[in-house]
Amino acid sequence: MTDTEPIEIFSVIRERRSVRNYTDRDVPDEALRAIIAAGIQAPTALGLQPWQFVIVKDRGLMRQVSDYCKPILVEKIGEEARSGTEEFLAALKSPGFNIFYNAPVLILVLGAQEAVSSVLDCTLCAENMMLAAWALGIGSCWIGSAALVQQNPDLLAALKVPADHQIVAPLIFGYPGPLSPKAVRREPQVTWIA
Ligand SMILES: Cc1cc2nc3c(=O)[nH]c(=O)nc-3n(C[C@H](O)[C@H](O)[C@H](O)COP(=O)(O)O)c2cc1C
């Protein structure tokens, strides 16, 4: 790398945002392969690369997962009653709401149970995937709510999650509809020690 080389990655990092509004345009398999290829470039503890991927395009199955998770989330979020969750809680109570925002693709990043740092490793992989997608004009969002599906053996079987793996990152992908503004970042507290 030279000082004069344009560092395009900074604009991808700066501009990426969670997309919750998708067009029906199909995401080509080639793009999904490129996104996973970027994911697996992430660093991993001991170089273990403890991941597997499940690509779900079956909207009916995604709907089933959403329908399963929604009431559990309503109960959980209702119990916690934290400020800022009111809007999401109201959406969850609406029968038409889909936790995957009707995205055309869900990719589950699965972490091997036996690997020491699989959650951290798969999280780094997931961020690479979301940044690569953005660079290709494809939106994404981490749907943590979907991890609740791990309590349902039938759905886990339908999602082909092996028993020795856990769902770390449920990521949706698709071509964005009109974009929401980027969420504002707080000034970071930084301590310098020289
Ligand atoms: C671990 C994790 C879980 C998340 N789960 C959800 C979710 O269930 N539903 C959702 O709409 N967004 C979810 N998000 C997206 C965050 O809400 C989003 O990243 C955050 O508000 C910052 O916005 P940005 O991604 O646009 O910068 C999740 C993000 C992370 C990292």
Side-chain angles (χ1 to χ4, degrees):
M1 191 174 77
T2 66
D3 286 348
T4 52
E5 203 176 314
I7 309 177
E8 189 48 39
I9 190 171
F10 281 100
S11 84
V12 175
I13 291 172
R14 200 173 47 242
E15 294 302 319
R16 183 217 55 86
R17 69 204 66 182
S18 292
V19 172
R20 299 184 177 87
N21 175 18
Y22 293 94
T23 66
D24 280 336
R25 186 175 158 200
D26 191 37
V27 181
D29 290 352
E30 196 189 8
L32 297 175
R33 286 196 194 95
I35 288 167
I36 290 175
I40 65 166
Q41 299 307 318
T44 54
L46 301 170
L48 290 178
Q49 306 175 45
W51 40 52
Q52 287 189 18
F53 305 86
V54 178
I55 302 174
V56 185
K57 292 178 164 188
D58 178 342
R59 285 175 184 265
L61 180 56
M62 285 164 76
R63 169 61 71 182
Q64 281 181 52
V65 174
S66 174
D67 288 345
Y68 171 76
C69 294
K70 278 165 64 178
I72 305 176
L73 283 165
V74 167
E75 205 170 310
K76 269 178 167 278
I77 295 174
E79 275 168 16
E80 289 166 15
R82 240 184 268 144
S83 77
T85 57
E86 300 86 353
E87 202 183 324
F88 189 49
L89 191 58
L92 284 170
K93 287 179 180 168
S94 146
F97 178 75
N98 183 321
I99 65 164
F100 300 117
Y101 304 103
N102 303 310
V105 184
L106 165 69
I107 300 184
L108 302 176
V109 183
L110 309 180
Q113 308 271 15
E114 63 166 25
V116 278
S117 294
S118 70
V119 171
L120 298 173
D121 298 335
C122 290
T123 301
L124 290 167
C125 173
E127 173 68 341
N128 268 13
M129 291 169 71
M130 293 190 285
L131 291 173
W134 188 266
L136 293 171
I138 296 166
S140 67
C141 187
W142 182 316
I143 306 295
S145 317
L148 288 169
V149 77
Q150 293 189 123
Q151 302 169 11
N152 183 316
D154 292 340
L155 284 174
L156 273 190
L159 290 166
K160 302 193 189 304
V161 177
D164 55 356
H165 281 65
Q166 60 174 320
I167 299 172
V168 176
L171 306 175
I172 52 171
F173 295 93
Y175 288 96
L179 286 176
S180 302
K182 169 99 188 172
V184 177
R185 291 322 197 236
R186 285 196 298 274
E187 267 306 303
Q189 184 179 325
V190 181
T191 305
W192 293 67
I193 300 177

